[in-house]
Amino acid sequence: MALIEAIEPSADGHRRLRVLSPATGQAVGEVDVANASDVASAVERAHKAQPDWARTTFRERRAIFERAARHLAENAETFVEVIVSETGKPNEEALSVEVLAACDALQFYAKHAGSILADRNVPVHLMKTKKLKVCYQPLGVVGIITPWNFPFLLSLNPSVQALMAGNAVVLKPSEITPFSGQLVERLLREAGIPEGVFGLVIGDGETGRALVEAGLDKVAFTGSVETGRRVGEACARQLIPCTLELGGKDPMIVCADADIDRAASGAVYGAFANAGQVCVSTERVYVVEEVADEFTRKVVEQTAALRQGPEGETDVGPLIHGPQLDVIERHVADATTRGARILAGGRRNPEFTGLFFEPTVLADVTQDMEIMREETFGPVLPILRVRDEAEAIRLANDSPYGLNANVWTRDKHKGAKLAKSIEAGSAIVNDCMLTYGVAEAPFGGRKASGIGQVNGEIGLRSYCHAQSILIDRFGAKNEFLWFPYTRRKGRLMRRALRWIWGTPLGRWLS
Ligand code: NAD
């Protein structure tokens, strides 16, 4: 099941796609695929609109995004309905992780962008005759390309940041979930974003490729490692910056002194929320031997209690993207043929026609299995027993990925120390996945999980060029370092060299 299918082209020659619900297989709607010329027009409109937008004050921009937050909060059900129709995720999941988190992002950046991006006077340590001002200038037009797993939040959040920083945006949402992208466009338009400042192009990889090549000033990409690499190469060729938020294989470390009830519930939530289709899903567990039996038993009990299905009160939704089923089945088959035991689930749910895979727990896994090395992006939790925390850290770091991680212990200081020794862009002690939802927290992967960071001060500033403006303070007729070069200046510089960097007082003052 592909969950999108190509249909008859439109009368004007555009390719068209039909989107199907992964929960029921029913048609959700149809879209035209934007071609290179549509993309070029959207980017051109954005370039034209951006200078006026950059001249608006933070207060004016804030009013628009606060209006959007209010509108979203008041009309949450309409948004949830669209998101659920094309992702199949449980209603409450769409409400919390998409809509609620989006309201928070809108309000946070509306409120704080003005102070985070205000011009700063920075004291200069040596050249006291100069004053330094750092000004955060918008880059121009930012292309935002997003995946299908959180189609609304992952499209809205970077858009708000780029726009609050004074850029124009052209968004290309995933072809699997185009209607959530349309929600973002409608929300911002109705909140009063000026014409051309925010553009939407619907389409697949071809549209994405055209956008990256359309004369952007930055690309903010979220998606797979494979596509991210291509996008990064195209940006490097054009010498434009990009952030690449890519896949992960997040480890969970359970120490002997962990609160096992909390750790087990956290493992089940971390692995099965959004049916395991979160870039920061818990994808592998390393549990210390002493508590492994108790932990595993509790995980299995809770997993068995999870509810699945296309309607009603449920916990675990369907896979959103058809081909993901092959990856999951391949990883589970590789593990079981090499000795892993299935303690729960392990197969496509036979009760439903939709793309439901049963929440699955695997034991007796080894580090060399695909399930421990490659991103699964599905509801599968492999548990590996380790001798001690040192072994857990070694195995956690034995991965090409480094997005997020979580550590469970009653000793929070030890937890933070262990977290620091994991090669991951972020880590959490006694909770999971949360980092992207904490607006102040910089978020971004190491190793194959990406380049650059989004969110928080760092993320917001990454949509700007930090321009240094150095201002002479005293207006002397000439400067010591200017012409003419004389032997006397040489002697003075040599003396200064010896004094400033050669004496304790000089070093202290410098
Ligand atoms: P994907 O790479 O297949 O697609 C992502 C987006 O890129 C889509 O909009 C797609 O149409 C577009 N695209 C495809 N080819 C392109 C090209 N050549 N040039 C430009 N754009 C192109 O990823 P996906 O399957 O949609 O998403 C799942 C992946 O996203 C997983 O690996 C997941 O871990 C990752 N992800 C990462 C984060 C993060 O913040 N690090 C968040 C969510 C998802």
Side-chain angles (χ1 to χ4, degrees), residues 124-126 128 499-501 503-510:
V124 175
H125 75 289
L126 192 61
K128 299 293 184 192
W499 189 78
I500 298 174
W501 291 286
T503 67
L505 181 61
R507 281 196 296 274
W508 182 71
L509 285 171
S510 66

Side-chain angles (χ1 to χ4, degrees), residues 460-477:
L460 191 59
R461 287 180 179 155
S462 79
Y463 290 105
C464 297
H465 180 83
Q467 184 186 31
S468 299
I469 299 182
L470 213 50
I471 303 165
D472 178 59
R473 296 169 71 185
F474 303 117
K477 295 287 175 226

Side-chain angles (χ1 to χ4, degrees), residues 486-506:
T486 63
R487 294 282 174 263
R488 184 174 158 272
K489 279 190 182 175
R491 277 195 303 280
L492 282 173
M493 277 192 278
R494 283 186 190 88
R495 211 178 298 160
L497 271 172
R498 281 194 298 273
W499 189 78
I500 298 174
W501 291 286
T503 67
L505 181 61

Side-chain angles (χ1 to χ4, degrees), residues 145-149 154 172-175 203-205 208-209 212 221-225 227 230-231 245-248 279 321 375 377 403 436 443 449:
I145 300 177
T146 56
W148 42 261
N149 59 333
L154 293 181
K172 194 210 82 68
S174 170
E175 64 277 24
D204 49 19
R209 259 195 311 279
V212 173
F221 174 83
T222 311
S224 65
V225 174
T227 313
R230 280 193 218 119
V231 169
E245 294 296 322
L246 311 179
C279 54
H321 184 34
E375 185 180 45
F377 222 56
L403 191 54
Y436 190 89
F443 180 84
S449 291

Side-chain angles (χ1 to χ4, degrees), residues 293-315:
D293 285 338
E294 184 190 356
F295 171 80
T296 307
R297 181 171 49 75
K298 289 182 170 163
V299 165
V300 172
E301 274 168 22
Q302 290 194 35
T303 303
L306 294 173
R307 298 156 303 171
Q308 224 172 12
E311 56 198 0
E313 239 178 40
T314 61
D315 302 305

